[in-house]
Amino acid sequence: MARRLLLGFLLTLAGACRGSATTPSPQADPNLAFCVQETNRYRAMVGRPALVESTSIEAFAAAAAQADTQSGVPHGYYRSHDPGFGAENEAPNWYLPYYGSAHNLIAQAIAAFWSEGPGGGHYENIVGPYSQLGCGFYQNGTDLTVVQDFR
């Protein structure tokens, strides 16, 4: 009986903590929505339909950003985990203080992908035949890795 009460208390406590100010959920990060909005802004320039933000893809992209930062191998997580969806853009280990904020760094990373132009891999991913996008970020000290996964 005591075990059951303790388990119930712990589950209640865990539920109360979920999404609190001290432990925000990844979905609470406004940069995730901004990453999708900024990508859609570029897609609109060439008449492509908007992508829908996907929380499941965001979880994968966040794991990829962390794993690739730690391994030093861009796209390593994507390649080794065969997510079964489209494509990935990655800006590994960009120096965050140079950009002033994560928001500005993300905007510049997407601009760099776009600047490759037609035929460039990152550009082609942005304008590709996808319907969903998940972005993920991982900060390691002063460096930020940005990952975009398309489905």
Side-chain angles (χ1 to χ4, degrees):
M1 177 71 170
R3 252 192 195 167
R4 189 179 300 166
L5 287 174
L6 178 59
L7 179 59
F9 171 76
L10 292 174
L11 289 172
T12 301
L13 182 61
C17 290
R18 202 172 303 137
S20 73
T22 56
T23 56
S25 68
Q27 294 79 16
D29 184 347
N31 289 314
L32 294 171
F34 170 72
C35 181
V36 176
Q37 292 163 1
E38 186 69 356
T39 302
N40 282 334
R41 186 175 71 81
Y42 283 103
R43 286 175 64 88
M45 290 181 198
V46 292
R48 299 294 296 152
L51 301 169
V52 175
E53 182 177 1
S54 167
T55 57
S56 63
I57 300 173
E58 285 170 349
F60 182 88
Q66 181 175 356
D68 292 356
T69 296
Q70 293 171 342
S71 70
V73 180
H75 308 292
Y77 188 86
Y78 181 88
R79 289 184 185 123
S80 68
H81 285 77
D82 186 22
F85 53 78
E88 181 175 82
N89 287 346
E90 184 168 354
N93 300 307
W94 283 30
Y95 184 62
L96 184 55
Y98 177 80
Y99 298 94
S101 69
H103 180 92
N104 291 340
L105 187 150
I106 294 161
Q108 290 303 308
I110 297 169
F113 299 152
W114 184 259
S115 71
E116 291 178 0
H122 297 105
Y123 174 94
E124 294 298 331
N125 290 343
I126 289 173
V127 301
Y130 307 112
S131 61
Q132 298 178 320
L133 174 62
C135 298
F137 318 110
Y138 182 75
Q139 186 170 347
N140 182 28
T142 58
D143 292 343
L144 183 68
T145 294
V146 176
V147 171
Q148 293 183 304
D149 284 311
F150 299 83
R151 175 171 42 210

